[in-house]
Amino acid sequence: NPIYDFFIGHELNPRIGSFDLKYFCELRPGLIGWLVINLAMLTKEWELRGSPSLAMILVNSFQLLYVLDALWHEEAVLTTMDIMNDGFGFMLAFGDLTWVPFTYSLQAHFLVGHPQELTPAAAAGIVLLNALGYFIFRSANSQKNTFRRNPNDPKVAALETIPTATGRQLLVSGWWGMLRHPNYLGDLIMALTWSL
């Protein structure tokens, strides 16, 4: 179906020579673009008010940590559904190159037009909540990625699993025994702090 192929992508990993377009676009352009937009918003706030607000500094710092984490753990993207199953069509290309940088930077954009004052106590609470979200996000994703790469790795070998209909194993202990998507819980907590 040409419409489906355009949206989802006909090829799994289109290449130009040995250059994998989907793997490249999955993280780097969108995440780096997000940081550039955030820095532009910080600079604009500085220009308008003489210095960036504590709220703007926190948003930029939290999101910088998130992007650096993604780039540092870039090899983990190789085990994600986007890379393993989805073709490189409009959905992924638009998401990676437009949706990520222009929607993930909305908190910084909001702060330029709507300055927010944070007390030191509120800022400390937001920092602690972000740290909790990051801890859940990073440890759950690390556990998942380690298991997908090598289920016999000593870090995950003791975790309980159940077989799926496809013959693969599904983690049912550790982070993945507490809730279905602990990595998303960490993501949601961090997103909340970015908005606070």
Side-chain angles (χ1 to χ4, degrees):
N1 182 319
I3 295 171
Y4 180 86
D5 287 348
F6 171 77
F7 190 74
I8 297 298
H10 185 73
E11 284 191 59
L12 184 62
N13 289 85
R15 297 173 188 274
I16 298 173
S18 62
F19 184 75
D20 187 322
L21 291 167
K22 181 170 71 171
Y23 182 65
F24 173 77
C25 288
E26 187 68 16
L27 288 180
R28 295 179 198 139
L31 293 182
I32 293 168
W34 174 15
L35 290 183
V36 169
I37 293 170
N38 272 3
L39 289 174
M41 296 300 123
L42 184 142
T43 303
K44 185 62 177 178
E45 188 181 56
W46 200 328
E47 178 186 298
L48 292 172
R49 297 185 186 87
S51 67
S53 65
L54 179 55
M56 181 67 83
I57 291 168
L58 288 179
V59 162
N60 271 264
S61 300
F62 293 160
Q63 294 179 354
L64 174 64
L65 171 65
Y66 190 87
V67 169
L68 292 176
D69 177 86
L71 296 174
W72 182 262
H73 296 282
E74 186 177 19
E75 78 286 348
V77 80
L78 293 172
T79 63
T80 63
M81 184 178 73
D82 289 359
I83 296 294
M84 301 287 289
N85 302 322
D86 292 345
F88 188 60
F90 178 81
M91 181 182 74
L92 276 181
F94 179 82
D96 294 340
L97 303 174
T98 305
W99 181 262
V100 168
F102 291 102
T103 59
Y104 288 22
S105 59
L106 285 175
Q107 292 89 355
H109 186 267
F110 175 84
L111 289 172
V112 171
H114 305 86
Q116 304 294 310
E117 292 298 321
L118 286 177
T119 65
I126 292 169
V127 167
L128 289 174
L129 188 58
N130 189 74
L132 172 67
Y134 179 75
F135 171 74
I136 294 169
F137 167 82
R138 172 54 24 229
S139 54
N141 273 321
S142 292
Q143 191 176 74
K144 175 184 69 171
N145 188 50
T146 300
F147 180 78
R148 283 182 175 172
R149 287 185 174 277
N150 179 10
N152 298 317
D153 187 300
K155 295 176 192 169
V156 294
L159 295 176
E160 295 177 39
T161 62
I162 58 172
T164 67
T166 62
R168 300 176 75 192
Q169 295 294 313
L170 185 65
L171 282 173
V172 292
S173 66
W175 279 111
W176 302 89
M178 289 186 251
L179 61 154
R180 184 69 185 105
H181 292 291
N183 53 336
Y184 295 164
L185 173 63
D187 251 335
L188 287 169
I189 292 170
M190 287 187 292
L192 173 64
T193 66
W194 302 348
S195 298
L196 289 173

